[in-house]
Amino acid sequence: MANKDELRISQGRLEDAWRRTLPIVMNKTDQSQVMSDGADDKALRIHIKTAGHQMYAFDFKVTYEDSREIRVELVDVERDGKTIDERPDTVQQLIEDYTRHLHECAQQLHDLTKA
């Protein structure tokens, strides 16, 4: 039986909406890139660069579980172009902040993504 609350928007429209909305909910000085996930039409790849001298970059996979709920997975954390351990408190705090921003973006797009 099909899920009645599944995502019913094209990946291209979803990607464009996230590209427009994510900078509004993030810190103004951070940068983000939104890309379609070629292997999953209900997922996006999000790349976020922190502002300032820390030079952190985070890669997330955002998957729509249904028209409202997303699952956020951390894929990679880099500092100055090199993969680093994500366990230090400073990095964990940034991951939590960006995860919250990703959920805020999905919530702002709810009117577009709801069935």
Side-chain angles (χ1 to χ4, degrees), residues 37-53:
D37 184 313
D40 184 348
D41 64 354
K42 291 185 169 107
L44 297 170
R45 297 293 180 146
I46 312 290
H47 180 75
I48 299 173
K49 287 184 186 177
T50 61
H53 62 280

Side-chain angles (χ1 to χ4, degrees), residues 13-14 108:
R13 284 190 60 211
L14 187 63
Q108 289 214 5

Side-chain angles (χ1 to χ4, degrees), residues 1-46:
M1 183 170 197
N3 181 359
K4 290 184 167 100
D5 192 29
E6 63 188 30
L7 186 65
R8 295 183 187 183
I9 181 175
S10 73
Q11 193 174 38
R13 284 190 60 211
L14 187 63
E15 180 183 346
D16 290 341
W18 270 78
R19 201 173 275 137
R20 285 189 312 271
T21 307
L22 187 56
I24 296 168
V25 299
M26 283 187 15
N27 302 324
K28 299 296 181 213
T29 53
D30 292 339
Q31 297 176 352
S32 64
Q33 290 178 300
V34 177
M35 298 148 283
S36 296
D37 184 313
D40 184 348
D41 64 354
K42 291 185 169 107
L44 297 170
R45 297 293 180 146
I46 312 290

Side-chain angles (χ1 to χ4, degrees), residues 71-87:
R71 181 179 66 233
V72 177
E73 298 173 66
L74 177 69
V75 176
D76 188 36
V77 180
E78 294 181 352
R79 184 170 189 181
D80 200 18
K82 295 183 177 98
T83 298
I84 63 166
D85 181 3
E86 70 266 7
R87 292 176 292 188

Side-chain angles (χ1 to χ4, degrees), residues 62-107:
V62 173
T63 306
Y64 273 82
E65 300 291 314
D66 59 30
S67 70
R68 293 181 313 261
E69 295 296 321
I70 61 168
R71 181 179 66 233
V72 177
E73 298 173 66
L74 177 69
V75 176
D76 188 36
V77 180
E78 294 181 352
R79 184 170 189 181
D80 200 18
K82 295 183 177 98
T83 298
I84 63 166
D85 181 3
E86 70 266 7
R87 292 176 292 188
D89 288 344
T90 307
V91 176
Q92 282 297 310
Q93 184 63 47
L94 287 167
I95 292 168
E96 287 176 24
D97 288 347
Y98 290 127
T99 299
R100 187 174 58 252
H101 292 316
L102 294 171
H103 281 281
E104 288 172 17
C105 185
Q107 189 152 15

